[in-house]
């Protein structure tokens, strides 16, 4: 939502106009939102426009903010620190409502199953889930490998990943809160018998991460990306570092927008 001036009422409530950072297009209902979210949206919009009380002085200093509406097992949740549950296939995941989790529950199980099909190969016994977050891939795929390691720089995400492994009875997974400079320091798997899922943020992989990946030398990679441009940049580096691209598959997790998720499968040259 947007406030042109802190003394003025709230203006538009919606999404940023394409190509801008501050221009918000008013969206009273979202055509690609779930029915439950659209039912909750009018009240959320009214709440934002209510007169600000003395206890909300902090909001007075802002010219805008974000409304959270997450449709999960518990219903539509708006509090960022609420613990919520999302189901993906046969697995259940818990996390804070304001934390990152893929937001298309209809296509996500198909994407996870595709990653599962692509990640297995002869002689691959172990799995590393890099940028593992709350454990989506490590937990979903864990039982198909002898052992799994999820690596994440966020300590809070690692705690939730451990909870999710326990909820889903994935007993062969460990989750490591690794520093950016030593991501795989505590992983003991042999690279030639290991596959790795990479699911970085929109900015892609930085050179520090890629250098460590090359040193570890996993046999097989499945790179999940929400930005084909940064993925293409990283794939060029990976190919130059000894990997070849087998296939790339798009998934339209963000229908009616210019955004698309792409999954690239790579194998290390023998």
């Amino acid at each position: 939502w947007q406030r042109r001036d802190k003394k003025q009422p709230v203006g538009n409530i919606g999404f940023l106009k394409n190509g801008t950072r501050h221009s918000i297009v008013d969206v009273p209902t979202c055509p690609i939102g779930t029915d439950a979210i659209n039912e909750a949206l009018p009240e959320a919009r009214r709440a934002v426009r209510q007169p600000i009380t003395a206890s909300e002085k902090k909001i007075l200093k802002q010219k805008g903010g974000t409304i959270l509406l997450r449709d999960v097992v518990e219903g539509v949740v708006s509090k960022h620190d609420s613990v919520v549950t999302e189901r993906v296939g046969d697995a259940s995941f818990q996390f804070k409502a304001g934390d990152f989790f893929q937001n298309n529950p209809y296509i996500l199980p198909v994407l996870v199953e595709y990653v599962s099909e692509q990640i297995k190969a002869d002689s691959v016994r172990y799995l590393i889930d890099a940028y593992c977050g709350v454990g989506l891939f490590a937990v979903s795929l864990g039982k198909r490998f002898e052992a799994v390691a999820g690596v994440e720089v966020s300590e809070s995400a690692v705690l939730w990943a451990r909870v999710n492994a326990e909820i889903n009875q994935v007993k062969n997974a460990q989750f490591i809160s690794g520093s950016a400079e030593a991501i795989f320091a505590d992983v003991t798997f042999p690279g030639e018998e290991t596959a790795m899922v990479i699911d970085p943020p929109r900015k892609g992989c930085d050179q520090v991460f890629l250098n460590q990946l090359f040193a570890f030398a996993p046999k097989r990679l499945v790179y999940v990306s929400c930005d084909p441009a940064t993925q293409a940049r990283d794939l060029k580096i990976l190919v130059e570092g000894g990997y070849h691209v087998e296939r790339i598959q798009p998934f339209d997790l963000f229908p009616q927008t210019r955004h698309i998720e792409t999954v690239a499968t790579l194998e290390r040259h023998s």
Side-chain angles (χ1 to χ4, degrees), residues 93-96 99-100 129-136 138-139 149-166 173-179 183 186:
F93 297 89
Q94 290 190 341
F95 51 93
K96 293 285 186 71
D99 291 347
F100 173 79
D129 182 4
Y131 304 93
C132 73
V134 300
L136 173 63
V139 170
V151 182
E152 171 64 54
V153 296
S154 167
E155 293 186 8
S156 62
V158 167
L159 292 176
W160 283 111
R162 290 170 180 159
V163 168
N164 290 324
E166 185 174 350
Q174 61 175 317
F175 294 92
I176 304 164
S177 178
S179 68
I183 296 171
D186 296 323

Side-chain angles (χ1 to χ4, degrees), residues 28-44 69-72 75-77 103 105-106:
T29 184
C30 182
I32 63 171
T34 64
D35 291 342
I37 285 177
N38 278 314
E39 288 171 5
L41 185 55
E43 178 56 35
L69 294 174
R70 188 182 280 277
D71 189 357
V72 288
V76 177
V77 176
N103 64 352
Y106 305 102

Side-chain angles (χ1 to χ4, degrees), residues 175-198:
F175 294 92
I176 304 164
S177 178
S179 68
E181 295 76 24
I183 296 171
F184 308 118
D186 296 323
V187 178
T188 58
F189 307 157
E192 65 274 11
E193 298 179 19
T194 300
M196 184 182 297
V197 176
I198 308 169

Side-chain angles (χ1 to χ4, degrees), residues 47-61:
V48 167
R49 290 197 164 106
Q50 290 299 311
I52 295 171
T53 65
S55 64
E56 298 172 314
K57 288 183 179 180
K58 185 177 180 180
I59 299 179
L60 278 171
K61 300 176 183 178

